Amino acid sequence: MSVKRVKPVPCDLDIAQSAIVKPISEITKKFGISDSDLVHYGNYKGKIKLSALKKESKHKAKYIDVTAITPTPLGEGKTTTTVGLTDGIAKLGKKAACAIRQPSMGPTFGIKGGAAGGGYSQIVPMEDFNLHLTGDLHAITAAHNLCAAAIDARLHHESRWSDSFFEKQGMTKLNIEPTSITWNRVVDINDRSLRNITIGKGGLQDGPVREAHFDITVASELMAILALTTDLKDMRERIGKIVVAMDKNNNPITTEDIGVAGAMTVLMKDTLEPNIMQTMEENLAFVHAGPFANIAHGNSSIIADKIASQYCDYLVTESGFAADIGMEKFFDIKCRQSGLTPDAIVLVATVRALKMHGGGPTVTPGRDLNPVYKEENLELLAEGCKNMVAHINIAKKFGIPVVVAINQFYTDTANELELVKRLAKEAGAFDAAVTNHWAEGGDGAVDLAKAVIKACESEKDFKFLYPLNISVKEKIEILAREVYGADGVEYTSEALTKIELYEKLGYGDFPICMAKSHLSLSHDPKLKNVPKGFIFPITDIRASVGAGFLYPLAGDVRTMPGLSSRPAYINIDIDTNTGKITGLF
C-alpha cells in the first residue's frame, strides 16, 4: 500500500498528499499494458492509446456497475465505494481496475467538492484528478464553443448576403430559424448569471441580437458523444450528425451543414484516448469522459471499459446518481452501444440517507447534521429502507444480481447496519455487506468484494427495459411506470409537437435519456422515499442526434448549476513556497 493509515482519519487531501504515488508506467506494467501504448502526462498520469484495444483479444473481465439509492445532497460515497471495491477485489488476489468519470470543475469549486473518492479509497494524485487532468474538458469546451460561434457567424452573414454570394463561396444558404437554435455555449464553472443571456449587442458587425444560454461543459452533447463513441471514425460521424437548429421550413440543420464538424473533431481527437491514474493501493484507474447523469447518460466511456476489460479480471465502473437515473441509462443506453453486459450491480446505501427517506429532517450541505442522523433510530431507518427496496427492484428488472453495499459511517450502530442487511436480502438482493473502505481502504471492502465475486458467478438473464422499435411515448411511459413509480405521464403541447417531429425525422428509434431530479424517484426533489400517486410531467423533449438519444425534460432541470453563498473555492489556495495545494476536498 502506498499510504500509512492513521486514526482519526484525516481529511481527503491530507491523505492523498501523504501517499507515495508510483510512476504510472509501473502501474500499467503490472497490468500488462505495453509502454508503447502509454502517453505520459508527467510521471503520475497519462493516456492509453487506442492501439491498446486488441481486436483479437478474447479476454473479458467481469463487469460490475456501482449505483446507489436516492442520495442526499451530500452524496452517499458511490465513487469511494467504487475505488474501495476495486482495492478489495485486489486484496483477494484478483487483478482489478476501475473506470469512472472525470469530474467537472463546477462542483469541485462549488458545494460538492472533488470526486476522486474519499478517505483511504481515493484515486491519486487527487489534485490532478479534480482539476485539469489532461485537458479533455478544455478541448470539449473549445470544440463546443467553436460550433456556437460558427452558428452565429452564419446567421450574421446570411442576413447580409444573397444566395448567389454563398454559391460563389461553394456554400448553400441555410436559412436558419434563430428561435430554433438549441446549441448553447458552455463553460466548466458554475455560473448562474450565464444561464440566460443576450448576445450580439452593439453595432451591425456584432449581431444579430438574440437571446442565448450557457450550459456547464459536462452537459455538452460532445461530452456524451465522447463517452459513447468507439473510435475516431465513429466520433467524426457522430459530431457531424449533431442537430443545432432548424431552418425556416422545419428541417434539421447539423454541424455538417454549418461546415464546422471537421474542425470540432480536430479539437476533440486527443480526448478519445482514456486517461489513466491509480488508486491509493496501486490498482489501475481509467478516468474518461464526464457526462451529467440528468441531462446526459452519466457514465464513463465505452472506450475505457473496452480497453480496461482486456487487462484485468474485474472491472468496476460507476453510473451517476441512483439506480433510477445513471444505472438505468447504463443499461438502456451505454450497454446497447458497447455490447458489454454486466455481471453484477452494487447498490450503495447509507444509514443517513435511509433515515432521511424515512422522514428525517432535511440534509443540507455545509450545515451540521440533525442529531437523528447520529443516534440509533430503527423505526425511521426501517421506513426509509423502502427506498432501497425500490432500487433493488429496479435493478432486478434487468436480470442482474444486486449486492447492497452499506457504506458505514462512524455514527452507525450495529443494530442499524444489521437491519439494513436483513431488509436488503428480504427484498431479493443477492447479498448485502457492510463496508468500511473510507477508513480502512481495500481491507474494509473485502466482505463486499467476496459477495460481488460470488454474484458475478451467479446466473443472470440480462435484458433491456424496453425495445427501441416502439414509440417515443411508449418508452417514456415504461420508464415512468416501471422505474419512477408514476401512475401516468402528462405532456405539454410543446413536448407532443416535438415528439411528432422527431419521429417524422427518424429519431423515434433512439433510446430515452430522461432528464429529471436525482433527489427523488419522482420528478419532484421534495418527494422522498417511494412516492406514489403522482403523474410524471414531460415539459419538453430534445434530440441529441450525435449521441444517439432523446432526452425528455421532467420539470425544471438545470444544465448550468449556480454557486452557493459559501462555495468550496473559498478554502482552496496554494502554498507559494512549496507549490502544495490546500483546501481541496
Side-chain angles (χ1 to χ4, degrees), residues 184-187 194-197 212-216 559-560:
N184 301 334
R185 285 167 169 80
V186 297
V187 63
L194 292 178
R195 287 172 180 164
N196 303 290
I197 60 171
H213 313 273
F214 265 83
D215 297 327
I216 195 163
T559 55
M560 170 57 82

Side-chain angles (χ1 to χ4, degrees), residues 95-362:
K95 193 175 288 186
C98 59
I100 64 175
R101 291 176 295 166
Q102 180 180 348
S104 164
M105 286 189 288
T108 297
F109 292 118
I111 291 177
K112 186 177 179 181
Y120 289 100
S121 292
Q122 294 189 58
I123 293 172
V124 288
M126 182 258 235
E127 304 97 318
D128 291 11
F129 179 96
N130 285 312
L131 299 174
H132 305 283
L133 198 51
T134 60
D136 288 352
L137 267 67
H138 301 311
I140 292 167
T141 302
H144 186 111
N145 290 337
L146 174 64
C147 180
I151 294 166
D152 284 307
R154 194 62 173 256
L155 276 176
H156 171 72
H157 292 298
E158 287 197 4
S159 68
R160 303 178 66 211
W161 302 105
S162 65
D163 290 1
S164 60
F165 172 83
F166 282 94
E167 288 172 7
K168 291 177 183 177
Q169 305 287 325
M171 301 163 67
T172 303
K173 201 167 184 180
L174 298 176
N175 294 312
I176 300 169
E177 171 50 55
T179 60
S180 74
I181 295 171
T182 54
W183 195 257
N184 301 334
R185 285 167 169 80
V186 297
V187 63
D188 195 42
I189 295 292
N190 292 359
D191 194 344
R192 62 168 49 84
S193 64
L194 292 178
R195 287 172 180 164
N196 303 290
I197 60 171
T198 301
I199 62 173
K201 296 177 71 174
L204 289 174
Q205 297 299 319
D206 305 313
V209 177
R210 68 178 184 89
E211 183 180 341
H213 313 273
F214 265 83
D215 297 327
I216 195 163
T217 295
V218 286
S220 168
E221 184 175 348
L222 291 178
M223 178 63 86
I225 287 172
L226 176 62
L228 293 169
T229 194
T230 53
D231 55 35
L232 182 60
K233 181 176 183 291
D234 180 62
M235 185 169 78
R236 174 63 179 84
E237 290 173 355
R238 287 174 179 269
I239 289 175
K241 291 177 181 177
I242 294 171
V243 174
V244 298
M246 307 297 282
D247 68 15
K248 296 186 185 299
N249 293 316
N250 220 24
N251 297 309
I253 293 174
T254 67
T255 54
E256 206 72 76
D257 297 327
I258 298 286
V260 73
M264 293 168 71
T265 307
V266 168
L267 289 173
M268 290 272 292
K269 68 178 180 65
D270 291 339
T271 68
L272 267 176
E273 298 173 338
N275 305 300
I276 51 166
M277 301 183 76
Q278 61 189 283
T279 71
M280 296 187 73
E281 298 189 12
E282 300 171 2
N283 292 303
L284 194 57
F286 287 73
V287 185
H288 197 216
F292 264 20
N294 54 3
I295 207 70
H297 69 292
N299 286 266
S300 57
S301 77
I302 287 173
I303 287 176
D305 288 1
K306 285 192 169 184
I307 293 176
S309 66
Q310 295 181 339
Y311 295 95
C312 62
D313 302 318
Y314 290 84
L315 175 61
V316 184
T317 190
E318 171 194 335
S319 50
F321 297 137
D324 59 316
I325 304 183
M327 187 206 70
E328 181 273 319
K329 295 172 182 178
F330 170 77
F331 288 135
D332 283 321
I333 298 176
K334 183 177 180 181
C335 289
R336 281 188 201 272
Q337 299 200 28
S338 71
L340 300 175
T341 54
D343 295 285
I345 293 297
V346 173
L347 181 73
V348 179
T350 63
V351 168
R352 175 183 68 193
L354 293 171
K355 284 182 176 178
M356 179 200 70
H357 286 295
T362 301

Side-chain angles (χ1 to χ4, degrees), residues 384-396:
C385 279
K386 292 177 181 176
N387 182 267
M388 175 185 67
V389 171
H391 285 287
I392 291 171
N393 288 333
I394 293 168
K396 285 169 62 180

